[in-house]
Amino acid sequence: MRHEVEPLRHGTMRERNLAVVLGEIARRQPVSRARLAEATGFTKTTVSSLVASLAGAGLVREDGPVRDGERGRPATAVSVNGDRVAGLGLEINVDYLAACVLDLGRRIRHRHIVAADNRDRAPERVIAGLTGLAARAISAAGEQGLSVAGAVVALPGTLDQGGGRLRSAPNLGWDDVPAGELLDAGLPALPLAADYDNEANLAALGELWFGDGPALGSYVHVSGEIGIGAGIVVDGRVFRGAHGFAGELGHVVVEPGGPPCACGGRGCLEQVAGQEAILRGAGIAAVTATSSASPDGPLSALVARLERGDERALTAVRRAGEALGQALATAVNLLDPDTIVLGGIFSGLAPWARPATEAALADGAGLVRRSPPRLTVSRLGGDAAALGAASLVVERVLDDPSRLVTRC
Amino acid sequence: MRHEVEPLRHGTMRERNLAVVLGEIARRQPVSRARLAEATGFTKTTVSSLVASLAGAGLVREDGPVRDGERGRPATAVSVNGDRVAGLGLEINVDYLAACVLDLGRRIRHRHIVAADNRDRAPERVIAGLTGLAARAISAAGEQGLSVAGAVVALPGTLDQGGGRLRSAPNLGWDDVPAGELLDAGLPALPLAADYDNEANLAALGELWFGDGPALGSYVHVSGEIGIGAGIVVDGRVFRGAHGFAGELGHVVVEPGGPPCACGGRGCLEQVAGQEAILRGAGIAAVTATSSASPDGPLSALVARLERGDERALTAVRRAGEALGQALATAVNLLDPDTIVLGGIFSGLAPWARPATEAALADGAGLVRRSPPRLTVSRLGGDAAALGAASLVVERVLDDPSRLVTRC
């Protein structure tokens, strides 16, 4: 289980020191060089030289005077510069493509969602659509004086770690697609190499930066539409497991011997609480589920029935909520999170599903913990994963600025 | 979900630098000061001063000449000093008390297991027994010239994080016992404050240092006797969750609506594959199960029956193995480990339980991963947790030596 908080292997002391100083600036900003020297143990000369390098790369800036602790003398403050460097987040999903640009202060500078039914479209065409969106985003960033440091791409499926090979994306009908390679060929060269991750992980990170934030503590974020995935976030980082497959909540068995699943198992959560299972249970024809290109199209018919109190729809959604709670109880027993965030289809269905989820969670998580974790509902829109992807670029720049700092 | 690989908050540059240099020495030993300067980016003067401080604290030593890379000039090598500082591991378990002393090279310098039926004994008496063992261990270390830097204590139950309050230890019949407080009062003062953790986590760490080691990758270690727990180890550190309750494998539901569990749930793994459930299934009276004070006493009758091919015993153990495999499949879907290690009662029962475990695991982990993780059987004895506890002390010293280095 790889965990992102691995000790960074900085090649040289200067690289390490740049990261230390930028980290302290991000934590304490606005902050004087004298405070930075205190906090890091570096001499003021070293701090000044490191700050100058970071400023030269557009990563920090001087901010005007700040009062310097007890001594009260005004000093020049340093802050992270939100106006020069940015991260690009991209997302391919079943019903849309998305791009967004965040500056180093994680302000959204550009956000573009294009509805598109990507089901069964050739990967090359979908990826060409996304690289077009990327080019527009980079140019929109440039018009604001921002230079894009790197991109992370959210893909809706199981990825081989490293190269962004999409082993399987059942919602798209894709199987073993070299998405990373195709994207690498289509994206412009940026200082940091493009990176790929699955939608569940990045949507979870989006919640950290654009949802409830640090109040979430460590959390499990449920996402997905036809499939059900979870992003596990610990200490602000995604927990990926040894091969990037952690968080496969959809394949936790909730009905041993139940309906067969594409994964080879039986009674997986997805077979009871996935979008298609719910629609089927509610008596809504599958053809409706795949005929709409709007982000929440397949669910709108369901929500309409729920709102008018249709008993069959209510029962299907309650059963899904209950099964979700059972699977989450297992996740709680194994992962012990502070919070569970319902995203994906479950945020829209929360008014009807949540009581059953909470009851099953309270039952199953039992007495091992004193109480089940807090359950919240995501307020982010469809492009949560693109926001998370762009955040990850920002995080990488702040964690290791040396790649953007020209050597002296 | 707290993860141990948190960035250390070193107060000063010197503390951080001591840790950096000691870390490089541990990784590269024997290593010259010149190589250390290259690896860390520090000047040779800084390296020499840091090495002198570490040597003064007995943490490193000069080792005689080493050939220094391409230049071929012999230089004085520095290594971790295994002969001055040690870690103490202690363990309270149902059937025994254990203490062990490891030097900084993780060689076992003292190992003492005392069989004792601790079930329903007063916590104060059990703890007095353990502090007696600790005193003997510290004195045995002293006779070898080792000074004990700190102790970690393995407790068989659910702990409140921090103070070592044992909320519940069903195998001991203890409930809400301030074990940490009682131990703090009974243990001698050591440079590092004593720390407490549960048996499952520390037995898992023992496997890392005294079992298959780094070949395990990231892994889930199954332990426990009457209860079933798991220690989750990622990048060499225990994954504990937000409140220290991660890894409650025993409460993963394998039979929804099945037998009620003390946790308040139904059909928990413990109710199907825990020691008492297996013995009951095998037709061995519970009185046998609790009448022996030898570490594997309750199981010896079972193993005898298995060895002579008793069908009822075989069926009970196979069913337990299957249920364990189902629960592990869930753990694999959520945590994606490289390896699963069967410890606790399952190491002794592996010849009969393992095929069923592997089959259920292969079924349940399905196609999400290409193949289920490797399954291995622990070869460690009963005091795995004490070994893991002592290892944790060694790790803490190596991670942050500043507390042992007197300030200059």
Side-chain angles (χ1 to χ4, degrees):
Chain A
M1 293 159 277
R2 190 167 67 93
H3 191 279
E4 279 205 348
V5 192
E6 284 163 5
L8 285 170
R9 292 312 314 140
H10 293 283
T12 71
M13 183 171 70
R14 188 166 175 81
E15 286 175 11
R16 193 170 55 225
N17 291 353
L18 284 167
V20 167
V21 167
L22 183 55
E24 293 293 341
I25 293 170
R27 245 188 306 277
R28 297 163 190 267
Q29 62 184 336
V31 57
S32 70
R33 290 174 175 76
R35 289 293 303 259
L36 286 171
E38 272 171 39
T40 60
F42 300 146
T43 63
K44 284 188 200 169
T45 315
T46 303
V47 167
S48 291
S49 150
L50 294 166
V51 166
S53 296
L54 293 168
L59 299 171
V60 305
R61 67 167 159 222
E62 297 199 340
D63 241 4
V66 68
R67 210 161 285 280
D68 197 18
E70 301 98 52
R71 280 158 302 187
R73 283 185 291 110
T76 306
V78 182
S79 295
V80 170
N81 186 347
D83 291 324
R84 289 277 304 280
V85 174
L88 173 61
L90 298 168
E91 181 179 0
I92 294 177
N93 223 314
V94 179
D95 298 306
Y96 62 92
L97 299 175
C100 78
V101 173
L102 295 183
D103 66 31
L104 285 197
R106 287 200 172 80
R107 277 172 302 173
I108 299 173
R109 296 300 200 100
H110 173 82
R111 190 176 190 177
H112 192 180
I113 307 180
V114 179
D117 190 348
N118 295 320
R119 251 174 286 245
D120 302 317
R121 273 175 77 198
E124 290 75 9
R125 279 192 56 206
V126 174
I127 282 167
L130 190 69
T131 55
L133 237 58
R136 266 188 278 173
I138 290 169
S139 130
E143 284 161 21
Q144 297 173 65
L146 290 166
S147 140
V148 171
V152 168
V153 186
L155 296 167
T158 312
L159 291 174
D160 272 339
Q161 254 183 343
R165 188 165 196 98
L166 200 50
R167 282 179 33 197
S168 133
N171 299 357
L172 286 171
W174 292 5
D175 199 37
D176 203 24
V177 169
E181 244 171 67
L182 295 169
L183 279 155
D184 281 342
L187 290 171
L190 297 171
L192 307 180
D195 215 338
Y196 305 94
D197 203 345
N198 84 48
E199 176 271 334
N201 287 340
L202 294 169
L205 270 190
E207 201 62 35
L208 179 62
W209 294 107
F210 298 94
D212 280 348
L216 294 167
S218 294
Y219 60 97
V220 172
H221 175 269
V222 181
S223 66
E225 304 181 4
I226 296 171
I228 298 174
I232 302 164
V233 178
V234 183
D235 297 331
R237 311 270 173 161
V238 173
F239 178 90
R240 294 168 202 284
H243 319 89
F245 306 150
E248 287 286 356
L249 191 71
H251 300 285
V252 169
V253 175
V254 292
E255 280 185 6
C261 179
C263 82
R266 299 188 75 90
C268 293
L269 176 64
E270 247 170 57
Q271 296 307 315
V272 181
Q275 180 175 294
E276 301 207 332
I278 296 175
L279 292 174
R280 211 166 39 236
I284 297 172
V287 60
T288 314
T290 54
S291 66
S292 163
S294 95
D296 47 24
L299 284 183
S300 52
L302 176 63
V303 169
R305 290 190 196 199
L306 291 166
E307 280 172 346
R308 65 172 186 260
D310 179 290
E311 204 45 58
R312 199 167 162 196
L314 287 168
T315 304
V317 168
R318 279 192 211 116
R319 173 61 193 128
E322 184 191 8
L324 178 64
Q326 286 173 259
L328 285 171
T330 295
V332 168
N333 281 326
L334 291 173
L335 298 163
D336 183 23
D338 290 299
T339 314
I340 288 169
V341 185
L342 299 184
I345 57 167
F346 296 103
S347 70
L349 299 178
W352 303 279
R354 183 177 174 160
T357 304
E358 281 183 328
L361 183 58
D363 258 20
L367 297 177
V368 180
R369 289 170 46 130
R370 285 223 170 87
S371 57
R374 203 156 40 91
L375 194 76
T376 69
V377 177
S378 174
R379 294 182 305 265
L380 292 186
D383 66 342
L387 290 169
S391 284
L392 199 50
V393 179
V394 169
E395 191 171 294
R396 284 178 185 167
V397 171
L398 296 177
D399 276 356
D400 185 5
S402 64
R403 282 184 247 176
L404 298 178
V405 174
T406 46
R407 291 176 185 285
C408 326
Chain B
M1 293 160 276
R2 190 167 68 91
H3 190 281
E4 276 205 353
V5 192
E6 283 162 8
L8 284 170
R9 293 311 317 140
H10 291 283
T12 71
M13 183 170 69
R14 188 166 176 83
E15 285 174 12
R16 193 170 54 225
N17 292 353
L18 284 167
V20 167
V21 167
L22 183 55
E24 293 295 340
I25 293 169
R27 246 187 305 278
R28 298 163 188 266
Q29 62 184 338
V31 58
S32 70
R33 289 174 176 77
R35 291 291 306 258
L36 285 173
E38 270 171 42
T40 60
F42 301 145
T43 64
K44 285 189 199 167
T45 315
T46 302
V47 166
S48 292
S49 150
L50 294 166
V51 167
S53 295
L54 293 168
L59 300 172
V60 305
R61 68 168 157 221
E62 298 199 341
D63 240 4
V66 70
R67 211 163 282 282
D68 196 15
E70 302 99 53
R71 281 157 300 185
R73 284 183 292 113
T76 307
V78 182
S79 296
V80 169
N81 187 348
D83 292 325
R84 289 277 303 280
V85 174
L88 173 61
L90 299 168
E91 181 180 359
I92 294 178
N93 222 315
V94 178
D95 298 306
Y96 61 92
L97 299 175
C100 79
V101 174
L102 296 183
D103 65 32
L104 285 197
R106 287 199 173 80
R107 278 173 301 174
I108 299 174
R109 295 300 199 98
H110 173 82
R111 189 176 190 177
H112 192 180
I113 308 180
V114 179
D117 189 347
N118 295 320
R119 253 174 282 247
D120 302 317
R121 273 175 78 200
E124 290 75 9
R125 279 193 55 205
V126 174
I127 283 168
L130 190 70
T131 54
L133 239 59
R136 267 188 277 174
I138 290 170
S139 129
E143 283 159 22
Q144 298 173 65
L146 291 165
S147 140
V148 171
V152 167
V153 186
L155 297 167
T158 311
L159 290 175
D160 272 338
Q161 254 182 345
R165 188 164 196 99
L166 199 50
R167 283 179 32 199
S168 132
N171 300 358
L172 286 171
W174 292 6
D175 198 39
D176 203 26
V177 169
E181 243 171 69
L182 294 169
L183 279 154
D184 280 343
L187 291 170
L190 297 171
L192 308 181
D195 214 340
Y196 305 93
D197 202 345
N198 83 49
E199 176 272 334
N201 287 340
L202 293 169
L205 270 189
E207 201 62 35
L208 179 63
W209 294 107
F210 298 94
D212 280 349
L216 294 168
S218 293
Y219 59 97
V220 171
H221 175 270
V222 181
S223 66
E225 304 180 4
I226 297 171
I228 298 174
I232 302 163
V233 179
V234 182
D235 298 331
R237 311 270 172 161
V238 174
F239 177 89
R240 292 168 203 283
H243 319 89
F245 305 150
E248 286 287 356
L249 190 71
H251 300 285
V252 169
V253 175
V254 292
E255 282 183 6
C261 179
C263 82
R266 300 188 75 90
C268 293
L269 176 64
E270 249 171 54
Q271 296 307 315
V272 181
Q275 179 174 294
E276 300 206 332
I278 296 175
L279 292 174
R280 211 167 38 236
I284 297 173
V287 59
T288 315
T290 52
S291 66
S292 164
S294 98
D296 47 23
L299 285 183
S300 53
L302 176 64
V303 168
R305 289 190 196 197
L306 291 167
E307 279 171 346
R308 63 171 187 260
D310 179 290
E311 204 44 59
R312 199 168 163 195
L314 287 168
T315 304
V317 168
R318 280 193 209 114
R319 172 62 192 127
E322 185 192 7
L324 178 63
Q326 287 172 257
L328 284 171
T330 294
V332 168
N333 281 326
L334 292 174
L335 297 164
D336 182 24
D338 289 299
T339 313
I340 288 169
V341 185
L342 300 184
I345 58 167
F346 296 103
S347 71
L349 299 178
W352 302 279
R354 184 177 171 159
T357 303
E358 280 183 328
L361 184 57
D363 259 18
L367 297 177
V368 180
R369 289 170 46 131
R370 285 223 169 86
S371 58
R374 203 157 41 90
L375 194 76
T376 69
V377 176
S378 174
R379 296 183 305 267
L380 292 186
D383 65 343
L387 289 169
S391 283
L392 199 51
V393 178
V394 169
E395 192 172 295
R396 285 179 184 167
V397 171
L398 296 177
D399 276 356
D400 185 5
S402 65
R403 280 184 248 177
L404 298 178
V405 173
T406 46
R407 293 175 182 284
C408 326

